[in-house]
Amino acid sequence: MTDITQKKPIAAIATPVGEGGIAVIRVSGLEAIATVNEAFKGKDLTKQDSHTVHFGKIMNKQNLPVDEVLVTLFHSPKSYTGEETVEISCHGGVLVTQSVLETILALGVRSAEPGEFTQRAFLNGKLDLDQAEAVADLIHAKSSKAVDAAHQQLEGRLGEHIKKFRQQIIDATAMVELELDFIEEDVEFANKEQLQKLLEDLDTEIAELLETYETGRLVKDGVKTVLIGRPNAGKSTLLNTLVGSDRAIVTEIAGTTRDTIDADWSYDGLLFKLIDTAGLRETQDVVEAEGVKRSQKAFEQADLVIYLKDLSQSFTDQERKEIADFQSRAKETPFILIGTKADIELEGGWRTEFDLKISALEGEKIKDLKKLLKDRALENKHYDASSLLVTSTRHRDALQKTKEHVDSALRALSQGMTGDFLSIDLRAALKELGTITGEITNEDVLDSIFSRFCIGK
Ligand code: GDP
Protein backbone atom coordinates (compact mmCIF):
# COMPACT_ATOMS: atom_id res chain seq x y z
CA MET A 1 0.00 0.00 0.00
CA THR A 2 1.03 3.58 -0.69
CA ASP A 3 2.29 5.56 2.26
CA ILE A 4 -0.42 7.60 3.91
CA THR A 5 -0.07 11.34 3.57
CA GLN A 6 -2.23 13.30 5.93
CA LYS A 7 -3.27 16.58 4.43
CA LYS A 8 -4.80 19.59 6.16
CA PRO A 9 -8.17 18.67 7.63
CA ILE A 10 -11.38 19.01 5.65
CA ALA A 11 -14.99 18.72 6.84
CA ALA A 12 -18.43 18.31 5.29
CA ILE A 13 -21.91 17.12 6.11
CA ALA A 14 -21.94 13.50 4.89
CA THR A 15 -25.69 12.91 5.10
CA PRO A 16 -28.39 14.38 2.83
CA VAL A 17 -29.52 17.91 3.56
CA GLY A 18 -32.90 18.01 5.28
CA GLU A 19 -34.51 16.96 8.50
CA GLY A 20 -33.74 13.55 9.92
CA GLY A 21 -33.05 11.69 13.14
CA ILE A 22 -29.34 12.24 12.90
CA ALA A 23 -26.84 13.85 10.55
CA VAL A 24 -23.16 13.03 10.23
CA ILE A 25 -20.34 15.50 9.79
CA ARG A 26 -17.09 14.01 8.63
CA VAL A 27 -13.72 15.56 9.48
CA SER A 28 -10.56 14.07 7.97
CA GLY A 29 -6.90 15.06 7.90
CA LEU A 30 -3.88 15.87 9.96
CA GLU A 31 -4.74 16.34 13.65
CA ALA A 32 -8.46 15.95 12.94
CA ILE A 33 -9.05 14.45 16.39
CA ALA A 34 -7.15 17.14 18.30
CA THR A 35 -8.95 19.80 16.28
CA VAL A 36 -12.44 18.47 17.01
CA ASN A 37 -11.35 18.00 20.63
CA GLU A 38 -10.97 21.80 20.93
CA ALA A 39 -14.74 22.18 20.50
CA PHE A 40 -15.71 18.98 22.32
CA LYS A 41 -16.91 18.93 25.91
CA GLY A 42 -16.64 15.41 27.29
CA LYS A 43 -13.68 13.02 27.40
CA ASP A 44 -10.31 14.08 26.04
CA LEU A 45 -10.65 12.66 22.50
CA THR A 46 -6.90 12.71 21.90
CA LYS A 47 -6.48 9.98 24.53
CA GLN A 48 -9.06 7.57 23.12
CA ASP A 49 -8.57 4.46 21.01
CA SER A 50 -9.43 4.15 17.32
CA HIS A 51 -12.94 2.93 16.43
CA THR A 52 -14.52 4.16 19.67
CA VAL A 53 -17.62 6.32 20.13
CA HIS A 54 -17.96 9.13 22.68
CA PHE A 55 -20.86 11.18 23.92
CA GLY A 56 -20.42 14.91 24.55
CA LYS A 57 -21.24 18.42 23.43
CA ILE A 58 -19.92 20.60 20.63
CA MET A 59 -19.25 24.06 22.07
CA ASN A 60 -18.82 27.23 20.05
CA LYS A 61 -16.16 29.94 20.51
CA GLN A 62 -18.39 31.69 23.08
CA ASN A 63 -18.38 28.40 24.97
CA LEU A 64 -22.10 27.88 24.36
CA PRO A 65 -23.39 24.42 23.48
CA VAL A 66 -24.22 23.92 19.79
CA ASP A 67 -25.51 20.34 20.03
CA GLU A 68 -25.21 17.07 21.90
CA VAL A 69 -23.30 14.64 19.75
CA LEU A 70 -21.69 11.23 19.42
CA VAL A 71 -18.23 11.26 17.90
CA THR A 72 -16.59 8.22 16.31
CA LEU A 73 -12.79 8.23 16.08
CA PHE A 74 -10.65 6.61 13.41
CA HIS A 75 -6.89 6.66 13.76
CA SER A 76 -4.78 6.71 10.62
CA PRO A 77 -4.49 4.53 8.55
CA LYS A 78 -7.62 2.64 9.63
CA SER A 79 -10.22 4.97 8.13
CA TYR A 80 -12.02 5.47 4.80
CA THR A 81 -9.52 8.15 3.71
CA GLY A 82 -6.55 6.58 5.45
CA GLU A 83 -6.21 9.82 7.40
CA GLU A 84 -7.16 10.54 10.99
CA THR A 85 -10.94 10.93 10.86
CA VAL A 86 -13.76 11.99 13.18
CA GLU A 87 -17.42 11.44 12.39
CA ILE A 88 -19.72 13.64 14.42
CA SER A 89 -23.31 12.42 14.69
CA CYS A 90 -25.54 15.31 15.67
CA HIS A 91 -29.28 15.99 15.63
CA GLY A 92 -30.54 15.96 12.07
CA GLY A 93 -31.99 19.44 11.71
CA VAL A 94 -30.80 21.63 8.84
CA LEU A 95 -29.74 24.51 11.11
CA VAL A 96 -28.24 22.37 13.88
CA THR A 97 -26.14 20.42 11.39
CA GLN A 98 -24.96 23.59 9.70
CA SER A 99 -24.04 25.13 13.08
CA VAL A 100 -21.97 22.09 14.08
CA LEU A 101 -20.18 22.20 10.71
CA GLU A 102 -19.51 25.93 11.07
CA THR A 103 -18.13 25.42 14.57
CA ILE A 104 -15.66 22.90 13.17
CA LEU A 105 -14.77 25.14 10.20
CA ALA A 106 -14.10 27.98 12.66
CA LEU A 107 -11.26 25.87 14.08
CA GLY A 108 -9.34 26.28 10.82
CA VAL A 109 -10.76 23.28 8.99
CA ARG A 110 -11.57 23.72 5.28
CA SER A 111 -14.90 22.77 3.62
CA ALA A 112 -14.45 19.59 1.58
CA GLU A 113 -14.94 19.63 -2.20
CA PRO A 114 -17.30 17.05 -3.75
CA GLY A 115 -15.68 13.62 -3.58
CA GLU A 116 -12.63 14.92 -1.75
CA PHE A 117 -12.77 12.25 0.97
CA THR A 118 -12.83 9.53 -1.67
CA GLN A 119 -10.09 11.28 -3.63
CA ARG A 120 -7.90 11.22 -0.51
CA ALA A 121 -8.78 7.54 -0.04
CA PHE A 122 -7.58 6.89 -3.61
CA LEU A 123 -4.40 8.93 -3.21
CA ASN A 124 -3.64 7.01 -0.01
CA GLY A 125 -4.05 3.69 -1.82
CA LYS A 126 -7.19 2.74 0.11
CA LEU A 127 -9.11 2.28 -3.14
CA ASP A 128 -8.15 1.79 -6.77
CA LEU A 129 -9.53 4.38 -9.15
CA ASP A 130 -12.14 1.96 -10.54
CA GLN A 131 -13.29 1.25 -6.98
CA ALA A 132 -13.57 4.98 -6.25
CA GLU A 133 -15.70 5.29 -9.39
CA ALA A 134 -17.84 2.42 -8.13
CA VAL A 135 -18.56 4.41 -4.95
CA ALA A 136 -20.08 7.18 -7.09
CA ASP A 137 -21.97 4.63 -9.19
CA LEU A 138 -23.38 3.05 -6.05
CA ILE A 139 -24.61 6.38 -4.73
CA HIS A 140 -26.20 7.27 -8.08
CA ALA A 141 -27.60 3.79 -8.79
CA LYS A 142 -31.31 3.85 -9.69
CA SER A 143 -32.04 0.14 -9.97
CA SER A 144 -31.07 -2.99 -8.08
CA LYS A 145 -29.06 -4.32 -11.03
CA ALA A 146 -27.10 -1.06 -11.12
CA VAL A 147 -26.40 -1.51 -7.39
CA ASP A 148 -25.16 -5.08 -8.06
CA ALA A 149 -22.87 -3.89 -10.85
CA ALA A 150 -21.41 -1.14 -8.64
CA HIS A 151 -20.87 -3.61 -5.80
CA GLN A 152 -18.98 -6.00 -8.05
CA GLN A 153 -16.67 -3.17 -9.07
CA LEU A 154 -16.33 -1.86 -5.52
CA GLU A 155 -15.28 -5.32 -4.37
CA GLY A 156 -12.45 -5.13 -6.88
CA ARG A 157 -13.73 -7.66 -9.42
CA LEU A 158 -12.75 -5.42 -12.35
CA GLY A 159 -9.42 -4.74 -10.65
CA GLU A 160 -8.78 -8.51 -10.44
CA HIS A 161 -9.24 -8.88 -14.18
CA ILE A 162 -6.96 -5.95 -14.83
CA LYS A 163 -4.28 -7.40 -12.53
CA LYS A 164 -4.51 -10.72 -14.37
CA PHE A 165 -4.15 -8.98 -17.76
CA ARG A 166 -1.17 -7.06 -16.38
CA GLN A 167 0.51 -10.28 -15.31
CA GLN A 168 -0.09 -11.81 -18.75
CA ILE A 169 1.53 -8.82 -20.41
CA ILE A 170 4.46 -8.93 -18.00
CA ASP A 171 4.92 -12.65 -18.79
CA ALA A 172 4.84 -11.87 -22.51
CA THR A 173 7.40 -9.12 -22.03
CA ALA A 174 9.65 -11.55 -20.16
CA MET A 175 9.42 -14.00 -23.05
CA VAL A 176 10.24 -11.31 -25.56
CA GLU A 177 13.29 -10.37 -23.54
CA LEU A 178 14.33 -13.98 -23.19
CA GLU A 179 14.10 -14.28 -26.94
CA LEU A 180 16.29 -11.22 -27.34
CA ASP A 181 18.90 -12.82 -25.08
CA PHE A 182 18.96 -16.17 -26.88
CA ILE A 183 18.58 -14.86 -30.39
CA GLU A 184 21.73 -16.70 -31.53
CA GLU A 185 20.73 -20.04 -30.14
CA ASP A 186 17.72 -21.10 -32.15
CA VAL A 187 15.27 -21.15 -29.24
CA GLU A 188 13.28 -18.60 -31.11
CA PHE A 189 10.66 -20.79 -32.75
CA ALA A 190 9.26 -22.69 -29.78
CA ASN A 191 9.24 -19.50 -27.84
CA LYS A 192 7.36 -17.67 -30.56
CA GLU A 193 4.47 -20.12 -30.56
CA GLN A 194 4.16 -19.92 -26.83
CA LEU A 195 4.25 -16.14 -26.93
CA GLN A 196 1.64 -16.06 -29.65
CA LYS A 197 -0.66 -18.31 -27.63
CA LEU A 198 -0.26 -16.12 -24.57
CA LEU A 199 -1.10 -12.96 -26.49
CA GLU A 200 -4.03 -14.56 -28.28
CA ASP A 201 -5.52 -15.74 -25.00
CA LEU A 202 -5.11 -12.28 -23.55
CA ASP A 203 -6.72 -10.75 -26.62
CA THR A 204 -9.75 -13.06 -26.28
CA GLU A 205 -10.14 -12.36 -22.59
CA ILE A 206 -10.07 -8.60 -23.12
CA ALA A 207 -12.60 -8.97 -25.94
CA GLU A 208 -14.89 -10.99 -23.66
CA LEU A 209 -14.75 -8.33 -20.97
CA LEU A 210 -15.38 -5.62 -23.55
CA GLU A 211 -18.48 -7.44 -24.75
CA THR A 212 -20.12 -6.92 -21.36
CA TYR A 213 -20.10 -3.15 -21.88
CA GLU A 214 -23.32 -3.02 -23.91
CA THR A 215 -25.19 -4.71 -21.07
CA GLY A 216 -23.23 -2.76 -18.45
CA ARG A 217 -24.29 0.51 -20.01
CA LEU A 218 -27.96 -0.52 -20.03
CA VAL A 219 -27.77 -1.69 -16.43
CA LYS A 220 -26.04 1.44 -15.18
CA ASP A 221 -27.75 4.15 -17.24
CA GLY A 222 -31.08 2.48 -17.92
CA VAL A 223 -32.69 1.32 -21.16
CA LYS A 224 -33.70 4.33 -23.25
CA THR A 225 -37.14 3.24 -24.36
CA VAL A 226 -38.92 5.40 -26.89
CA LEU A 227 -42.69 5.23 -27.38
CA ILE A 228 -43.69 6.26 -30.88
CA GLY A 229 -46.91 6.19 -32.85
CA ARG A 230 -49.66 8.38 -34.19
CA PRO A 231 -51.29 11.01 -31.96
CA ASN A 232 -53.91 9.34 -29.75
CA ALA A 233 -52.34 5.90 -30.17
CA GLY A 234 -52.23 5.61 -26.37
CA LYS A 235 -48.57 6.43 -25.70
CA SER A 236 -49.13 8.64 -22.65
CA THR A 237 -51.70 6.22 -21.24
CA LEU A 238 -49.22 3.35 -21.50
CA LEU A 239 -46.44 5.40 -19.93
CA ASN A 240 -48.72 6.29 -17.04
CA THR A 241 -49.77 2.67 -16.65
CA LEU A 242 -46.16 1.51 -16.47
CA VAL A 243 -44.96 4.24 -14.15
CA GLY A 244 -48.12 4.06 -12.10
CA SER A 245 -48.71 7.77 -11.80
CA ASP A 246 -50.01 10.59 -13.94
CA ARG A 247 -46.61 11.60 -15.24
CA ALA A 248 -47.81 12.37 -18.78
CA ILE A 249 -50.97 14.33 -19.57
CA VAL A 250 -53.57 12.20 -21.27
CA THR A 251 -56.27 13.91 -23.35
CA GLU A 252 -58.43 13.11 -26.31
CA ILE A 253 -57.15 15.99 -28.40
CA ALA A 254 -54.55 14.77 -30.88
CA GLY A 255 -51.15 16.33 -30.40
CA THR A 256 -51.20 16.96 -26.64
CA THR A 257 -47.76 15.61 -25.96
CA ARG A 258 -45.82 18.42 -27.50
CA ASP A 259 -42.42 17.64 -26.13
CA THR A 260 -40.82 14.39 -25.15
CA ILE A 261 -41.81 13.37 -21.64
CA ASP A 262 -39.42 11.19 -19.69
CA ALA A 263 -40.13 8.93 -16.77
CA ASP A 264 -37.99 6.39 -14.94
CA TRP A 265 -39.55 2.97 -14.51
CA SER A 266 -37.94 -0.11 -12.98
CA TYR A 267 -38.88 -3.67 -13.74
CA ASP A 268 -37.20 -6.74 -12.30
CA GLY A 269 -34.20 -4.68 -11.23
CA LEU A 270 -33.67 -3.05 -14.61
CA LEU A 271 -34.20 0.67 -15.10
CA PHE A 272 -36.11 1.84 -18.17
CA LYS A 273 -35.97 5.48 -19.16
CA LEU A 274 -39.31 5.86 -20.88
CA ILE A 275 -39.57 8.62 -23.42
CA ASP A 276 -43.06 9.53 -24.61
CA THR A 277 -42.65 11.37 -27.88
CA ALA A 278 -44.88 13.88 -29.55
CA GLY A 279 -47.14 12.19 -32.09
CA LEU A 280 -45.26 11.75 -35.31
CA ARG A 281 -47.06 13.78 -37.91
CA GLU A 282 -46.63 16.81 -40.09
CA THR A 283 -47.57 19.90 -38.15
CA GLN A 284 -47.89 23.64 -38.62
CA ASP A 285 -47.67 24.37 -34.91
CA VAL A 286 -44.16 25.66 -34.04
CA VAL A 287 -44.06 24.21 -30.53
CA GLU A 288 -45.35 20.88 -31.73
CA ALA A 289 -42.95 20.87 -34.69
CA GLU A 290 -40.08 21.21 -32.22
CA GLY A 291 -41.53 18.28 -30.29
CA VAL A 292 -41.64 16.17 -33.44
CA LYS A 293 -38.00 16.99 -34.11
CA ARG A 294 -37.08 15.87 -30.60
CA SER A 295 -39.02 12.65 -31.08
CA GLN A 296 -36.89 11.89 -34.12
CA LYS A 297 -33.76 12.51 -32.08
CA ALA A 298 -35.01 10.35 -29.21
CA PHE A 299 -35.71 7.61 -31.74
CA GLU A 300 -32.17 7.74 -33.06
CA GLN A 301 -30.67 7.40 -29.57
CA ALA A 302 -33.04 4.70 -28.36
CA ASP A 303 -32.02 1.32 -26.91
CA LEU A 304 -35.55 0.01 -27.42
CA VAL A 305 -38.35 1.29 -29.67
CA ILE A 306 -42.04 0.64 -29.07
CA TYR A 307 -44.41 1.53 -31.89
CA LEU A 308 -48.01 1.81 -30.73
CA LYS A 309 -50.91 1.31 -33.13
CA ASP A 310 -54.46 2.14 -32.08
CA LEU A 311 -56.48 -1.01 -32.86
CA SER A 312 -59.75 0.92 -32.86
CA GLN A 313 -58.65 2.70 -36.01
CA SER A 314 -58.10 0.95 -39.33
CA PHE A 315 -54.62 0.83 -40.82
CA THR A 316 -53.84 3.29 -43.56
CA ASP A 317 -51.27 2.38 -46.22
CA GLN A 318 -49.29 5.37 -45.13
CA GLU A 319 -49.19 4.02 -41.58
CA ARG A 320 -48.00 0.62 -42.73
CA LYS A 321 -45.27 2.31 -44.71
CA GLU A 322 -44.35 4.43 -41.69
CA ILE A 323 -43.99 1.34 -39.49
CA ALA A 324 -41.87 -0.46 -42.08
CA ASP A 325 -39.76 2.65 -42.39
CA PHE A 326 -39.19 2.94 -38.63
CA GLN A 327 -38.47 -0.75 -38.39
CA SER A 328 -35.74 -0.55 -40.99
CA ARG A 329 -34.30 2.64 -39.50
CA ALA A 330 -34.16 1.03 -36.07
CA LYS A 331 -31.55 -1.40 -37.49
CA GLU A 332 -30.03 -3.31 -34.55
CA THR A 333 -32.21 -1.58 -31.96
CA PRO A 334 -34.98 -3.90 -30.76
CA PHE A 335 -38.30 -2.76 -32.25
CA ILE A 336 -41.62 -3.80 -30.73
CA LEU A 337 -44.98 -3.38 -32.46
CA ILE A 338 -47.82 -3.10 -29.97
CA GLY A 339 -51.53 -2.87 -30.74
CA THR A 340 -53.30 -0.64 -28.21
CA LYS A 341 -56.91 -0.27 -27.05
CA ALA A 342 -57.52 -4.03 -27.54
CA ASP A 343 -60.76 -3.50 -25.57
CA ILE A 344 -62.24 -1.59 -28.50
CA GLU A 345 -60.41 -3.35 -31.32
CA LEU A 346 -61.98 -3.10 -34.80
CA GLU A 347 -63.24 -6.35 -36.28
CA GLY A 348 -61.21 -7.79 -39.12
CA GLY A 349 -57.72 -9.13 -39.64
CA TRP A 350 -54.78 -6.74 -39.59
CA ARG A 351 -52.46 -8.51 -42.05
CA THR A 352 -49.76 -7.39 -39.65
CA GLU A 353 -48.04 -9.32 -36.90
CA PHE A 354 -48.25 -7.52 -33.59
CA ASP A 355 -45.79 -8.50 -30.89
CA LEU A 356 -48.62 -8.01 -28.42
CA LYS A 357 -52.10 -6.49 -28.23
CA ILE A 358 -52.79 -4.64 -25.02
CA SER A 359 -55.34 -2.48 -23.31
CA ALA A 360 -53.69 -0.02 -20.99
CA LEU A 361 -57.09 1.15 -19.82
CA GLU A 362 -58.18 -2.31 -18.73
CA GLY A 363 -54.72 -3.51 -17.70
CA GLU A 364 -54.89 -6.29 -20.27
CA LYS A 365 -51.57 -8.01 -21.16
CA ILE A 366 -49.60 -5.35 -19.28
CA LYS A 367 -47.66 -8.03 -17.37
CA ASP A 368 -46.73 -9.73 -20.65
CA LEU A 369 -45.66 -6.39 -22.04
CA LYS A 370 -43.36 -5.70 -19.09
CA LYS A 371 -41.68 -9.06 -19.51
CA LEU A 372 -41.40 -8.56 -23.25
CA LEU A 373 -39.71 -5.19 -22.74
CA LYS A 374 -37.09 -6.70 -20.46
CA ASP A 375 -36.46 -9.72 -22.70
CA ARG A 376 -36.08 -7.61 -25.80
CA ALA A 377 -33.90 -5.02 -24.07
CA LEU A 378 -31.42 -7.69 -23.01
CA GLU A 379 -31.73 -9.98 -26.03
CA ASN A 380 -28.39 -10.98 -27.54
CA LYS A 381 -26.73 -9.40 -24.53
CA HIS A 382 -24.58 -11.26 -22.05
CA TYR A 383 -26.22 -11.09 -18.72
CA ASP A 384 -26.17 -13.17 -15.63
CA ALA A 385 -26.49 -11.71 -12.20
CA SER A 386 -23.07 -12.80 -11.00
CA SER A 387 -21.11 -11.68 -14.02
CA LEU A 388 -18.85 -8.69 -13.94
CA LEU A 389 -19.96 -5.89 -16.24
CA VAL A 390 -17.90 -3.06 -17.63
CA THR A 391 -20.20 -0.08 -17.06
CA SER A 392 -18.03 2.95 -17.69
CA THR A 393 -17.02 4.43 -21.06
CA ARG A 394 -13.66 5.33 -19.51
CA HIS A 395 -12.94 1.68 -18.75
CA ARG A 396 -14.26 0.52 -22.11
CA ASP A 397 -12.03 2.99 -23.97
CA ALA A 398 -8.95 1.94 -22.00
CA LEU A 399 -9.68 -1.75 -22.59
CA GLN A 400 -10.20 -1.10 -26.29
CA LYS A 401 -6.85 0.68 -26.53
CA THR A 402 -5.16 -2.12 -24.58
CA LYS A 403 -6.58 -4.61 -27.04
CA GLU A 404 -5.33 -2.56 -30.00
CA HIS A 405 -1.80 -2.65 -28.58
CA VAL A 406 -2.02 -6.40 -28.02
CA ASP A 407 -3.32 -6.83 -31.59
CA SER A 408 -0.45 -4.76 -32.84
CA ALA A 409 2.03 -6.93 -30.89
CA LEU A 410 0.46 -10.04 -32.44
CA ARG A 411 0.83 -8.55 -35.92
CA ALA A 412 4.45 -7.65 -35.24
CA LEU A 413 5.05 -11.21 -34.08
CA SER A 414 3.50 -12.76 -37.17
CA GLN A 415 5.48 -10.43 -39.42
CA GLY A 416 8.68 -11.57 -37.73
CA MET A 417 9.52 -8.15 -36.31
CA THR A 418 12.22 -7.98 -33.68
CA GLY A 419 11.49 -8.10 -29.98
CA ASP A 420 12.09 -4.37 -29.54
CA PHE A 421 8.95 -3.63 -31.56
CA LEU A 422 6.90 -6.06 -29.53
CA SER A 423 8.17 -4.51 -26.31
CA ILE A 424 6.92 -1.10 -27.38
CA ASP A 425 3.39 -2.44 -27.96
CA LEU A 426 3.38 -4.40 -24.73
CA ARG A 427 4.55 -1.44 -22.69
CA ALA A 428 1.82 0.72 -24.24
CA ALA A 429 -0.75 -1.96 -23.35
CA LEU A 430 0.44 -2.00 -19.74
CA LYS A 431 0.14 1.74 -19.55
CA GLU A 432 -3.46 1.67 -20.77
CA LEU A 433 -4.40 -0.94 -18.17
CA GLY A 434 -2.82 1.22 -15.49
CA THR A 435 -5.21 4.07 -16.28
CA ILE A 436 -8.18 1.90 -15.24
CA THR A 437 -6.98 1.17 -11.74
CA GLY A 438 -5.32 4.57 -11.46
CA GLU A 439 -1.64 3.61 -11.30
CA ILE A 440 -1.30 5.95 -14.22
CA THR A 441 -3.46 9.02 -14.16
CA ASN A 442 -3.57 12.77 -14.50
CA GLU A 443 -5.29 15.70 -12.81
CA ASP A 444 -7.96 16.14 -15.49
CA VAL A 445 -9.10 12.55 -15.26
CA LEU A 446 -9.18 12.71 -11.47
CA ASP A 447 -11.07 16.01 -11.48
CA SER A 448 -13.70 14.73 -13.85
CA ILE A 449 -14.15 11.54 -11.85
CA PHE A 450 -14.36 13.11 -8.40
CA SER A 451 -16.55 16.02 -9.47
CA ARG A 452 -19.35 13.46 -9.98
CA PHE A 453 -19.46 12.86 -6.25
CA CYS A 454 -21.60 14.62 -3.73
CA ILE A 455 -20.08 16.77 -1.02
CA GLY A 456 -19.24 14.72 2.05
CA LYS A 457 -18.28 11.55 0.13
P1 GDP B 1 -51.11 9.58 -27.15
O1 GDP B 1 -51.48 10.78 -27.94
O2 GDP B 1 -50.53 8.51 -28.02
O3 GDP B 1 -50.23 9.87 -25.98
O4 GDP B 1 -52.48 8.95 -26.62
P2 GDP B 1 -53.16 9.06 -25.17
O5 GDP B 1 -52.45 8.17 -24.21
O6 GDP B 1 -53.29 10.49 -24.82
O7 GDP B 1 -54.57 8.39 -25.44
C1 GDP B 1 -55.53 8.94 -26.34
C2 GDP B 1 -56.92 8.51 -25.95
O8 GDP B 1 -57.06 7.09 -26.05
C3 GDP B 1 -57.30 8.88 -24.51
O9 GDP B 1 -58.64 9.30 -24.49
C4 GDP B 1 -57.15 7.56 -23.77
O10 GDP B 1 -58.00 7.47 -22.65
C5 GDP B 1 -57.53 6.55 -24.82
N1 GDP B 1 -56.92 5.25 -24.55
C6 GDP B 1 -55.61 4.99 -24.30
N2 GDP B 1 -55.40 3.67 -24.08
C7 GDP B 1 -56.62 3.07 -24.19
C8 GDP B 1 -57.07 1.71 -24.07
O11 GDP B 1 -56.32 0.77 -23.77
N3 GDP B 1 -58.40 1.49 -24.29
C9 GDP B 1 -59.27 2.50 -24.59
N4 GDP B 1 -60.54 2.18 -24.79
N5 GDP B 1 -58.88 3.78 -24.68
C10 GDP B 1 -57.58 4.07 -24.51
Side-chain angles (χ1 to χ4, degrees):
M1 191 186 280
T2 340
D3 285 339
I4 305 284
T5 354
Q6 297 212 49
K7 297 192 181 157
K8 287 195 178 144
I10 48 172
I13 301 167
T15 39
V17 181
E19 292 175 7
I22 52 170
V24 176
I25 290 146
R26 189 186 251 167
V27 190
S28 171
L30 194 64
E31 306 284 339
I33 295 176
T35 308
V36 173
N37 197 44
E38 288 174 37
F40 186 77
K41 194 169 161 190
K43 280 184 207 153
D44 181 353
L45 299 177
T46 61
K47 300 215 162 74
Q48 310 305 321
D49 291 338
S50 185
H51 294 69
T52 55
V53 184
H54 307 277
F55 174 74
K57 282 184 186 148
I58 294 291
M59 311 295 284
N60 66 16
K61 286 246 157 94
Q62 290 74 45
N63 210 25
L64 295 169
V66 181
D67 197 15
E68 282 190 341
V69 298
L70 279 176
V71 295
T72 313
L73 309 177
F74 302 89
H75 292 179
S76 174
K78 285 166 67 184
S79 70
Y80 179 67
T81 56
E83 301 178 323
E84 201 169 290
T85 300
V86 184
E87 286 184 3
I88 307 170
S89 304
C90 63
H91 289 100
V94 179
L95 280 176
V96 179
T97 313
Q98 196 59 38
S99 307
V100 173
L101 175 65
E102 274 162 19
T103 308
I104 300 302
L105 296 179
L107 301 170
V109 176
R110 174 168 66 74
S111 265
E113 303 286 333
E116 199 171 359
F117 294 100
T118 309
Q119 185 161 11
R120 287 187 175 192
F122 163 67
L123 293 172
N124 280 330
K126 282 272 171 179
L127 291 168
D128 282 345
L129 196 54
D130 57 297
Q131 289 174 306
E133 289 169 294
V135 173
D137 290 348
L138 195 58
I139 293 171
H140 296 301
K142 288 201 181 66
S143 69
S144 61
K145 285 199 176 13
V147 168
D148 291 346
H151 267 141
Q152 300 263 14
Q153 199 173 313
L154 187 57
E155 279 168 13
R157 292 270 314 272
L158 179 65
E160 278 166 29
H161 277 75
I162 304 303
K163 274 180 202 115
K164 181 162 177 281
F165 295 160
R166 267 183 84 86
Q167 193 53 52
Q168 282 163 292
I169 297 175
I170 290 166
D171 292 348
T173 310
M175 285 167 81
V176 170
E177 269 151 27
L178 195 70
E179 192 183 6
L180 286 176
D181 290 347
F182 287 90
I183 209 133
E184 312 286 303
E185 297 177 31
D186 238 18
V187 290
E188 192 205 351
F189 192 61
N191 211 2
K192 184 174 161 179
E193 275 188 342
Q194 222 184 335
L195 179 59
Q196 185 170 346
K197 165 105 177 46
L198 193 114
L199 291 176
E200 278 169 358
D201 287 350
L202 174 63
D203 200 58
T204 314
E205 285 168 42
I206 298 176
E208 279 169 4
L209 193 56
L210 270 169
E211 272 178 29
T212 67
Y213 173 71
E214 260 312 294
T215 317
R217 185 182 66 80
L218 294 182
V219 163
K220 185 170 126 189
D221 301 335
V223 182
K224 268 195 229 99
T225 307
V226 174
L227 305 175
I228 52 174
R230 294 277 159 128
N232 265 350
K235 298 181 291 295
S236 313
T237 309
L238 177 62
L239 184 135
N240 286 338
T241 305
L242 291 176
V243 176
S245 69
D246 281 348
R247 180 71 183 78
I249 318 145
V250 182
T251 62
E252 278 178 52
I253 310 151
T256 345
T257 311
R258 295 184 151 200
D259 204 342
T260 59
I261 294 184
D262 304 359
D264 285 357
W265 168 64
S266 279
Y267 174 71
D268 204 10
L270 190 64
L271 176 74
F272 288 83
K273 296 195 98 63
L274 302 175
I275 304 158
D276 177 13
T277 62
L280 298 154
R281 57 167 196 174
E282 299 291 320
T283 174
Q284 304 296 319
D285 184 315
V286 185
V287 182
E288 206 184 308
E290 180 59 25
V292 172
K293 223 194 292 168
R294 287 195 202 167
S295 318
Q296 296 286 358
K297 196 166 161 228
F299 172 78
E300 278 149 29
Q301 297 173 347
D303 298 313
L304 184 64
V305 178
I306 310 177
Y307 189 100
L308 301 183
K309 160 65 190 154
D310 180 349
L311 297 172
S312 71
Q313 307 288 319
S314 56
F315 247 136
T316 61
D317 285 343
Q318 198 200 357
E319 218 174 342
R320 276 185 211 285
K321 199 176 149 291
E322 183 177 284
I323 294 174
D325 185 43
F326 271 120
Q327 208 153 10
S328 75
R329 273 174 53 209
K331 289 188 204 122
E332 311 270 284
T333 312
F335 184 94
I336 303 178
L337 181 59
I338 300 291
T340 61
K341 311 190 195 179
D343 52 308
I344 49 169
E345 178 174 0
L346 277 186
E347 290 296 320
W350 290 102
R351 290 190 291 123
T352 302
E353 283 289 316
F354 288 95
D355 287 293
L356 207 61
K357 290 180 179 177
I358 62 163
S359 165
L361 224 52
E362 308 210 325
E364 210 178 299
K365 293 276 158 75
I366 298 299
K367 256 196 204 148
D368 301 272
L369 177 67
K370 291 178 177 176
K371 192 171 173 308
L372 181 69
L373 294 188
K374 185 182 170 206
D375 291 348
R376 296 296 298 274
L378 292 181
E379 85 187 349
N380 304 327
K381 307 249 158 46
H382 299 245
Y383 188 74
D384 89 67
S386 64
S387 63
L388 172 72
L389 298 173
V390 174
T391 57
S392 124
T393 41
R394 195 182 79 79
H395 301 162
R396 184 213 43 197
D397 292 349
L399 283 168
Q400 237 155 20
K401 284 190 200 144
T402 308
K403 188 173 178 302
E404 280 161 25
H405 292 305
V406 175
D407 287 341
S408 167
L410 272 166
R411 265 196 311 277
L413 189 64
S414 73
Q415 288 164 358
M417 303 260 230
T418 59
D420 323 27
F421 281 95
L422 279 142
S423 297
I424 294 172
D425 288 325
L426 295 177
R427 228 171 297 143
L430 264 188
K431 207 168 147 200
E432 277 306 328
L433 283 179
T435 64
I436 298 179
T437 43
E439 274 116 27
I440 294 166
T441 190
N442 66 52
E443 294 268 307
D444 291 346
V445 173
L446 290 184
D447 283 352
S448 93
I449 289 173
F450 289 104
S451 63
R452 285 183 57 219
F453 281 73
C454 17
I455 297 209
K457 192 65 217 177

